[in-house]
Amino acid sequence: MATPPHHGPDGFRNAEPTSHGSLGVALPFFARRIWSNVVGRGGGASAVAVDTAFLRYNARHSVPTATWIGHATVLVQMDGVTFLTDPIWSDTAGPVAGLGARRLVPPPLALDELPPIDFVVVSHSHYDHADLPTLRALAARGAHVFVPLGLGRLLRDEGITAVTELDWWQAAPFERVTVHCVPARHWSRRGLFDENETLWSGWVVSGPTRRFYFAGDTGPTASFAAIGERLGPFGLAALPIGAYEPAAMMGTVHLDPEQAVAAAAPLGAERVLGVHWGTFDLTDEPVDEPPVRFHREVARRGLAADRFRTPRLGETEQW
């Protein structure tokens, strides 16, 4: 069989050109990130109390719901399963505790307050998306973990054995649903010398009554139309709306709020959940700017406001 075009000799590559910016952009950016972590910035997302009793009850009855836990972590219940996207409960997103981007607001519930988690999808290897302490804890509670190609080794080295690795456009059944790995425009790295050795992806979970799309981290991409055509339409799409400045570094690998709104149409998304903001201070834009721009763009386009949501941490929405 022919080698897929996103497979390279030493790892993986995007279907569309990407750029991390020049050193003249990157070095001042990292200096600003270090300073921000020292002095701290406000603007973290607000939170509400989680209705844990309902979520436990709903794990058996499956009213379709999504609960934003923070950053790219969404608790989804649909078609008889309960799953998490890119779960992170750690206080910092980095290689060791205390080193990395600090959490601005705590998770709205503890890990031991979660309903039973059937499985987890992980979009890529970056520390704010593949959080090993959280994944170990969830695996110990019986959660299966779906990852893109190459990332399974990292988890197995941590003693996590219930892992399924998938390439773009591959799928695996899980109880009443099917889990699909889909393209994204991003990159991967955890150390100094492993850039793009593991794949990055989005995920689709399709069931008898609902279809859910999780973009992971991605820049604007023609893949949205392909995903919508092959696997949509979607009752709910969770799209990143933060981490977009400076554009010279982030513009090809992260959506800005306006691009996230625009992605709803090619995806065929009935509702959009704006995530990946207000939890960790990762980039230069004001922490609380993404939802403001997101809803402003919805209004500018004359779209129905109730289709585009940025809930509070811990808030459960039906879809």
Side-chain angles (χ1 to χ4, degrees):
M1 294 180 63
T3 301
H6 63 285
H7 289 221
D10 301 310
F12 302 93
R13 55 196 174 204
N14 285 292
E16 298 149 300
T18 61
S19 172
H20 302 319
S22 67
L23 280 178
V25 173
L27 292 178
F29 168 77
F30 288 119
R32 293 192 298 271
R33 292 297 89 226
I34 293 169
W35 178 247
S36 289
N37 267 327
V38 171
V39 301
R41 289 202 296 174
S46 61
V48 297
V50 181
D51 189 346
T52 55
F54 168 76
L55 293 177
R56 290 182 179 276
Y57 170 85
N58 199 45
R60 299 188 301 274
H61 297 81
S62 272
V63 174
T65 64
T67 305
W68 188 41
I69 305 300
H71 202 49
T73 306
V74 183
L75 173 68
V76 181
Q77 296 182 312
M78 56 172 273
D79 286 325
V81 296
T82 300
F83 61 94
L84 286 163
T85 66
D86 285 356
I88 177 168
W89 261 257
S90 294
D91 290 332
T92 53
V96 296
L99 181 62
R102 292 187 300 175
R103 182 181 286 272
L104 300 174
V105 287
L109 79 170
L111 277 168
D112 59 10
E113 294 178 302
L114 285 168
I117 302 299
D118 296 301
F119 64 88
V120 169
V121 294
V122 177
S123 64
H124 63 292
S125 68
H126 289 157
Y127 288 98
D128 57 321
H129 293 260
D131 181 49
L132 290 176
T134 299
L135 292 172
R136 285 195 300 266
L138 291 168
R141 291 165 167 82
H144 195 92
V145 185
F146 291 90
V147 298
L149 286 182
L151 197 50
R153 178 180 176 181
L154 174 69
L155 273 62
R156 287 188 287 269
D157 286 347
E158 294 291 319
I160 302 170
T161 57
V163 178
T164 298
E165 291 185 57
L166 297 174
D167 199 355
W168 290 353
W169 301 120
Q170 289 183 337
F174 188 97
E175 298 182 3
R176 296 177 62 199
V177 303
T178 302
V179 181
H180 308 256
C181 182
V182 296
R185 188 183 183 191
H186 200 58
W187 62 296
S188 68
R189 186 170 68 193
R190 283 182 81 85
L192 295 176
F193 307 109
D194 64 344
E195 183 168 334
N196 295 347
E197 289 183 2
T198 64
L199 187 59
W200 48 95
S201 72
W203 294 94
V204 169
V205 179
S206 60
T209 72
R210 291 293 188 275
R211 289 176 178 264
F212 169 80
Y213 168 64
F214 169 62
D217 268 358
T218 185
T221 172
S223 295
F224 290 145
I227 293 166
E229 289 168 4
R230 294 176 65 161
L231 297 171
F234 302 106
L236 181 65
L239 302 181
I241 65 170
Y244 47 82
E245 292 290 348
M249 284 185 67
M250 305 298 170
T252 60
V253 293
H254 285 125
L255 296 176
D256 66 27
E258 293 78 15
Q259 291 165 336
V261 173
L267 285 167
E270 181 180 341
R271 294 168 64 91
V272 174
L273 194 71
V275 300
H276 201 263
W277 69 276
T279 312
F280 293 96
D281 187 4
L282 297 173
T283 48
D284 284 352
E285 75 272 4
V287 174
D288 55 359
E289 180 183 86
V292 175
R293 286 178 50 173
F294 183 72
H295 292 294
R296 183 186 299 148
E297 180 65 7
V298 169
R300 188 190 72 81
R301 288 174 174 260
L303 301 171
D306 61 356
R307 290 181 52 213
F308 295 84
R309 302 286 294 155
T310 51
R312 294 168 291 179
L313 298 172
E315 191 169 358
T316 298
E317 302 219 348
Q318 296 186 19
W319 54 282

